[in-house]
Amino acid sequence: GAVVSQHPSRVICKSGTSVKIECRSLDFQATTMFWYRQFPKQSLMLMATSNEGSKATYEQGVEKDKFLINHASLTLSTLTVTSAHPEDSSFYICSALPADYNEQFFGPGTRLTVL
Amino acid sequence: GQNIDQPTEMTATEGAIVQINCTYQTSGFNGLFWYQQHAGEAPTFLSYNVLDGLEEKGRFSSFLSRSKGYSYLLLKELQMKDSASYLCAVSPEWEGQGGKLIFGQGTELSVKP
């Protein structure tokens, strides 16, 4: 089956620093990747849609200057949380969509804690 | 707007059958997914319905009625390991937004001995 990895799995950082999260599709090429955020006991909220070689499309209410997304290749997308604050602490999950396919494959998630 | 509703919590007994309902109102429809998510882990795919009717896969079945904007996930012969959150997600049919999913709030299922 299709495998998606995320790195790091957990990160703790100080307030004001930036954190980069990587999402990789290991055995397929993903023309589209999605970034979600999930707060405790809540569902996944789509933050942005990332297409290889083009700018990401952000959902309403998501600050594009704070959550920088780069989809430089067909197997890698990165999310950078800039100037992180405690309220950014959350579980960040990416998913990857193979070309001509309707099912997304999810990464294992990254737990971000901002002190 | 997009709206997907499912119960917040459900409790069932080991060995029993449980049905988790999901209703949706979206600008378009390109399929409905059910995912299982254990705490602190990524969602795992359970089922996909795009046509009306019942899809059966082992102990899990999923039903869709597009005219009613309604789906359910049926879990049979419940096991303790089925305790998890079950997420209903709809793929709306938007131009240039292929594959985008809108998730419901999730149903936390607790299976008791």
Side-chain angles (χ1 to χ4, degrees):
Chain A
V3 179
V4 176
S5 70
Q6 275 185 246
H7 178 79
S9 57
R10 291 178 179 272
V11 57
I12 301 173
C13 69
K14 293 182 179 180
S15 185
T17 60
S18 295
V19 174
K20 180 186 283 188
I21 303 171
E22 292 185 349
C23 176
R24 293 181 184 272
S25 56
L26 298 184
D27 50 5
F28 66 96
Q29 293 185 330
T31 52
T32 304
M33 289 184 172
F34 301 90
W35 287 96
Y36 297 86
R37 181 168 51 183
Q38 186 175 34
F39 292 107
K41 296 194 179 296
Q42 294 186 25
S43 191
L44 279 72
M45 289 187 58
L46 181 64
M47 299 174 66
T49 302
S50 168
N51 291 296
E52 187 266 338
S54 63
K55 290 185 178 180
T57 303
Y58 290 82
E59 294 299 301
Q60 193 172 9
V62 178
E63 300 174 57
K64 61 180 181 181
D65 293 331
K66 180 170 182 60
F67 298 99
L68 301 179
I69 292 173
N70 184 283
H71 194 155
S73 76
L74 288 171
T75 58
L76 173 65
S77 177
T78 60
L79 168 69
T80 301
V81 182
T82 62
S83 187
H85 290 285
E87 57 265 31
D88 298 324
S89 298
S90 187
F91 193 49
Y92 291 86
I93 303 176
C94 73
S95 69
L97 182 69
D100 300 323
Y101 212 64
N102 199 31
E103 180 185 341
Q104 298 179 26
F105 297 93
F106 286 85
T110 297
R111 174 75 60 192
L112 171 64
T113 303
V114 185
L115 303 176
Chain B
Q2 319 292 346
N3 194 45
I4 300 176
D5 284 321
Q6 46 181 136
T8 306
E9 296 178 328
M10 296 185 73
T11 302
T13 305
E14 191 176 15
I17 299 173
V18 70
Q19 177 174 311
I20 303 174
N21 296 323
C22 172
T23 57
Y24 64 90
Q25 291 175 305
T26 55
S27 57
F29 183 81
N30 193 34
L32 185 144
F33 295 80
W34 283 96
Y35 289 89
Q36 180 191 63
Q37 186 181 28
H38 287 98
E41 299 180 9
T44 55
F45 171 81
L46 291 178
S47 69
Y48 170 67
N49 294 69
V50 66
L51 299 176
D52 289 352
L54 187 68
E55 294 279 343
E56 297 186 77
K57 189 186 295 185
R59 294 190 299 117
F60 293 60
S61 302
S62 57
F63 172 83
L64 174 68
S65 169
R66 288 172 297 171
S67 62
K68 295 181 179 178
Y70 168 70
S71 173
Y72 68 72
L73 178 70
L74 194 71
L75 292 77
K76 303 175 185 176
E77 301 171 15
L78 280 173
Q79 302 174 9
M80 299 297 290
K81 67 177 182 179
D82 296 330
S83 292
S85 183
Y86 291 85
L87 308 175
C88 172
V90 171
S91 176
E93 195 169 35
W94 264 324
E95 288 186 11
Q97 296 287 339
K100 180 174 178 176
L101 288 178
I102 307 297
F103 280 85
Q105 69 267 33
T107 298
E108 190 68 36
L109 174 66
S110 297
V111 180
K112 307 292 186 184

